[in-house]
Amino acid sequence: MPAAAAYAPGKIILFGEHAVVYGRPAIAVPVTQVRAKATVFADPSGPEGRVQIEAPDIGLHTSLDELPSDHPFALAVNGVKDTLQIIHLPALRLRVTSTIPIASGLGSGAAVSAAVARALSGFLGMPLADEQVSAIAYRVDQKHHGNPSGIDNTVIAYAQPVFFVRGQPFERILVHQPFTIVIGNSGVSSPTREAVASVRALWQADPETYERVFDSIGAVARLARQYIEQGQPEQLGPLMTENHALLQTLTVSSPELDSLVETALRAGALGAKLCGAGRGGNMLALVTPDTAERVAAALRAAGAVNSITTVIGSRT
Ligand code: PMV
């Protein structure tokens, strides 16, 4: 069997993180400047069923049998076997690499799962549909994030801008006029599970207050969709900054993220917010082609460990 390789992009949540866990809409878009790659090679010298796994970025070199059954790679490989109703795999080698920073709101977990699912099913000659890839990545996230909304696996498996409401079929967003986003990495890694759990504790203690915050975030996401589809992306700036303030009330910002958001605004961004689970990880800023480099440089000077400039809607 020839080797098979597959890629999956990173993602950012433009609007609606956290509230999306509670049924409010959110908007996410793929970020193709960073990606996970999985390659599956035949291992003619290996015994049937032996799956060797190499992930040099995290120093992992092992076999599937030696991984705990809830390890993300084991869950992804077994998810493919279950979906394709395969009992025995041929001997193979799975190599996984990724340029998506881990635990930083850019969807690295879902992207790795999606790339593994695609590469393995492609290698076996039974490539999975986007929907199946998304379902496998969701099940992996469930083990590791506790209560994922499903937005990460959806935007990454379909690699399209999505308007997502938990439990409903997602809707593709048509970007009428491309717009530019600068992403700044605070360098603080932050597990999604913890931020999601702390929002849950707040909500359980005072559901009325936090339902109102979630409603406000949902309203921002709905309005943002209209501006994106009507070709008025500059209107998204104030909505992003408003979304950031609402995330602050959920206590998921951090001094580093707040400082990067302020830096971006001072450098001329039209709006800025944290993205993903928060407490660390990345923030994003809406810029114009003219201000992009200035904002990116200001973020790096203010402590961002790196920045990515991406144009949303340029391929749709
Ligand atoms: O930090 P990330 O990229 O895993 O994003 C989490 C988004 C949340 O809304 C906080 C959680 C979820 O499951 O939607």
Side-chain angles (χ1 to χ4, degrees):
M1 283 178 185
Y7 295 91
K11 69 100 216 325
I12 43 177
I13 299 181
L14 290 180
F15 294 95
E17 50 273 269
H18 286 290
V20 69
V21 174
Y22 299 83
R24 276 42 166 214
I27 297 175
V29 296
V31 175
T32 50
Q33 283 86 349
V34 284
R35 60 187 185 173
K37 177 181 183 187
T39 313
V40 177
F41 308 87
D43 181 8
S45 61
E48 189 189 87
R50 188 176 72 186
V51 175
Q52 288 186 295
I53 298 182
E54 294 161 29
D57 303 335
I58 53 169
L60 186 77
H61 193 121
T62 186
S63 72
L64 186 61
D65 295 347
E66 281 157 29
L67 279 182
S69 60
D70 64 351
H71 189 283
F73 292 154
L75 290 167
V77 169
N78 289 325
V80 173
K81 282 174 71 183
D82 293 347
T83 307
L84 295 177
Q85 302 191 321
I86 288 177
I87 297 174
H88 299 294
L89 289 172
L92 57 86
R93 214 154 50 79
L94 167 64
R95 182 179 166 83
V96 181
T97 55
S98 173
T99 56
I100 309 172
I102 294 171
S104 64
L106 297 189
S108 84
V112 164
S113 303
V116 168
R118 284 223 170 89
L120 180 56
S121 62
F123 175 81
L124 296 168
M126 292 179 270
L128 294 171
D130 293 343
E131 190 180 350
Q132 294 170 305
V133 171
S134 181
I136 291 171
Y138 181 69
R139 287 199 297 274
V140 179
D141 265 4
Q142 258 182 327
K143 273 269 183 237
H144 292 272
H145 291 182
N147 181 25
S149 63
I151 191 168
D152 277 23
N153 52 285
T154 302
V155 63
I156 283 167
Y158 289 87
Q160 294 275 341
V162 300
F163 183 82
F164 180 88
V165 179
R166 186 172 196 163
Q168 295 180 17
F170 77 93
E171 294 172 46
R172 284 195 165 83
I173 294 190
L174 294 174
V175 180
H176 196 85
Q177 191 185 315
F179 52 95
T180 307
I181 297 285
V182 173
I183 303 164
N185 188 345
S186 71
V188 179
S189 86
S190 165
T192 300
R193 176 186 275 278
E194 286 168 24
V196 169
S198 68
V199 171
R200 177 151 302 262
L202 290 174
W203 172 75
Q204 279 169 337
D206 183 358
E208 233 172 83
T209 298
Y210 289 97
E211 284 289 331
R212 276 201 302 274
V213 178
F214 298 149
D215 280 342
S216 302
I217 293 175
V220 164
R222 282 184 206 286
L223 195 52
R225 178 188 187 168
Q226 285 178 24
Y227 288 136
I228 294 170
E229 294 192 326
Q230 288 164 6
Q232 296 171 277
E234 64 292 342
Q235 303 283 1
L236 299 174
L239 291 180
M240 283 177 181
T241 308
E242 185 180 342
N243 196 161
H244 184 71
L246 290 162
L247 288 163
Q248 285 173 321
T249 69
L250 296 179
T251 74
V252 293
S253 193
S254 69
E256 293 85 358
L257 288 167
D258 286 345
S259 143
L260 292 178
V261 163
E262 277 157 32
T263 299
L265 295 173
R266 273 202 307 273
L270 299 169
K273 63 183 275 291
L274 70 85
C275 65
R279 297 262 164 89
N282 283 272
M283 49 71 68
L284 56 82
L286 178 69
V287 296
T288 62
D290 289 346
T291 58
E293 192 37 51
R294 184 170 10 123
V295 171
L299 289 173
R300 292 191 301 268
V305 292
N306 71 319
S307 67
I308 298 169
T309 300
T310 185
V311 179
I312 308 300
S314 55
R315 290 186 306 123
T316 49

